[in-house]
Amino acid sequence: MLGLKYKNRDKIFEEKEVNGVPYLAYPVFESLGIVNHGFSTRLGGVSKGNYATMNLSTTRGDDPEAIAENTRRIAAAIGVRTEDMVYTHQTHTTNVAAAREKDRGKRFMDTDGMVTDVPGMCLVTFYADCVPLYFVDPVRKAIGLSHSGWQGTVHKIGKITVEKMTETYGSDPKDIIAAIGPSICQDCYEVSEDVIDQFRESFRKEILPELFYRKDNGKYQLNLWRANEEVLKEAGVKKERIAVTNVCTHCNPDILFSHRTMGNKRGNLSAFLALKR
Ligand SMILES: [Zn+2]
C-alpha cells in the first residue's frame, strides 16, 4: 500500500490509513485491545519543502500552523486526542519521566523516555533514524516510550524505561510486550571506531559479533535493532515478546524522514502510545 521496502517477510507491522493519513501499527499491540498506538510517515500532512508533508516536530523550523494541522490529522487517525499528548525534548539522555494527569500538554525537557499509567494520556516521541522503543504492560496497565539513538542504546535507555515502569507501577518485566520501531538498519548505519569502543564496553563480549562488523575502510556497520533487543532482554523482557522492526528509515527516504539521507533539512516522524480510556 505505502510501497515500503521491508528487510524481511516477517509480519511486524500493519500499514494503516485513516482519512488519507497512513501510519504503521504493530499487530502485537492491536491484539491486546488496551492501547492506541502508531508510527507516523512523511505522508498525509500539509507541511512543505523539506518538511513535506507530515512533520510533527516544533523544533525544526517548520510552520507552527502546519505542525498543528499534521498533529490533528495523525491524532484522529490513531484515535487519540491532541490535548492528551505529552512530549519529550530529546537530547540523547537516559532520562525517563513519569507522566501524570496534570502533565497533559507538557514537554519534558532533556528527556528521552516517558512512562504513564494514566488512561488516554498519549506519549509522543520524535525520530529520523534513531530507534523508537515501545512498552506495554497489560497486567499493571502501564506503558512506556523511549528514544534510543546510539547513545541511548549504549547507555541502555530501554532497560532504564523498564526499570522505571517497575519502580513506578510495579510492572514485572516478564509481562511487558515491547516493540523496536522503524529506524536505521545495519546495512545503512556506518559508524566510527570511537562509537564501537563504547559498545564493546557496554555489551557482553559474546554478542558483539552480532552488533557490528569492521569494513576495509576502518569504519563499522552497527546494528541498533539487535543491540536494543539485547538491552530489552537484559531488562528481563522475554525474547518472544519483543517485536523487532523490519523497516529502515534510510532505506525508505520518500516515505520516512531519515537524518542520514536529508541531514538537518528534514522533519521528524513520531511514535505515539496511549492506554485506551
Ligand atoms: Zn537501511
Side-chain angles (χ1 to χ4, degrees), residues 19-271:
N19 300 326
V21 178
Y23 66 96
L24 297 175
Y26 295 91
V28 287
F29 290 155
E30 303 256 278
S31 64
L32 292 175
I34 60 165
V35 292
N36 290 101
H37 80 286
F39 191 79
S40 67
T41 73
R42 295 185 61 177
L43 311 174
V46 297
S47 291
K48 303 273 194 288
N50 295 322
Y51 308 111
T53 61
M54 182 60 82
N55 167 49
L56 292 160
S57 172
T58 56
T59 62
R60 309 203 57 81
D62 192 9
D63 172 14
E65 281 181 27
I67 301 162
E69 174 62 16
N70 292 343
T71 306
R72 276 192 292 276
R73 288 186 182 194
I74 189 80
I78 288 171
V80 297
R81 304 195 317 196
T82 54
E83 60 267 36
D84 288 342
M85 291 180 174
V86 280
Y87 313 89
T88 43
H89 176 266
Q90 298 161 192
T91 49
H92 298 282
T93 68
T94 52
N95 298 329
V96 178
R100 290 179 286 180
E101 190 70 48
K102 64 176 175 53
D103 293 324
R104 282 172 213 274
K106 180 170 175 170
R107 184 175 302 271
F108 290 96
M109 299 308 289
D110 291 321
T111 297
D112 286 73
M114 296 178 291
V115 297
T116 195
D117 66 349
V118 179
M121 173 90 71
C122 183
L123 309 179
V124 185
T125 49
F126 303 93
Y127 303 90
D129 290 343
C130 287
V131 183
L133 301 176
Y134 293 74
F135 304 88
V136 177
D137 174 359
V139 176
R140 293 287 173 169
K141 299 269 193 324
I143 57 174
L145 188 61
S146 301
H147 162 255
S148 187
W150 74 260
Q151 296 171 83
T153 305
V154 160
H155 297 114
K156 302 185 174 171
I157 190 170
K159 188 176 177 197
I160 292 165
T161 308
V162 169
E163 287 165 358
K164 186 83 175 180
M165 289 174 70
T166 300
E167 246 166 60
T168 315
Y169 311 116
S171 293
D172 182 338
K174 290 198 292 294
D175 295 329
I176 290 176
I177 296 155
I180 295 169
S183 44
I184 197 161
C185 75
Q186 183 171 22
D187 294 334
C188 293
Y189 197 43
E190 180 183 88
V191 298
S192 53
E193 176 119 37
D194 57 316
V195 170
I196 292 301
D197 282 342
Q198 296 190 45
F199 279 80
R200 286 184 177 122
E201 273 180 36
S202 187
F203 289 85
R204 62 194 168 90
K205 207 165 147 229
E206 302 75 56
I207 70 140
L208 294 181
E210 296 176 41
L211 304 192
F212 55 80
Y213 62 87
R214 187 185 165 94
K215 300 184 298 175
D216 290 343
N217 66 0
K219 304 267 190 180
Y220 294 78
Q221 295 296 127
L222 175 60
N223 190 339
L224 287 178
W225 301 352
R226 182 68 192 83
N228 276 287
E229 186 184 15
E230 182 65 18
V231 169
L232 301 189
K233 280 160 60 186
E234 268 183 36
V237 181
K238 291 175 165 265
K239 181 179 165 55
E240 62 271 22
R241 294 193 177 176
I242 305 170
V244 182
T245 181
N246 56 2
V247 170
C248 166
T249 42
H250 189 263
C251 289
N252 292 283
D254 296 333
I255 303 167
L256 303 170
F257 289 116
S258 165
H259 182 75
R260 289 263 169 146
T261 307
M262 303 180 77
N264 279 319
K265 294 179 179 168
R266 58 168 172 82
N268 270 341
L269 306 162
S270 283

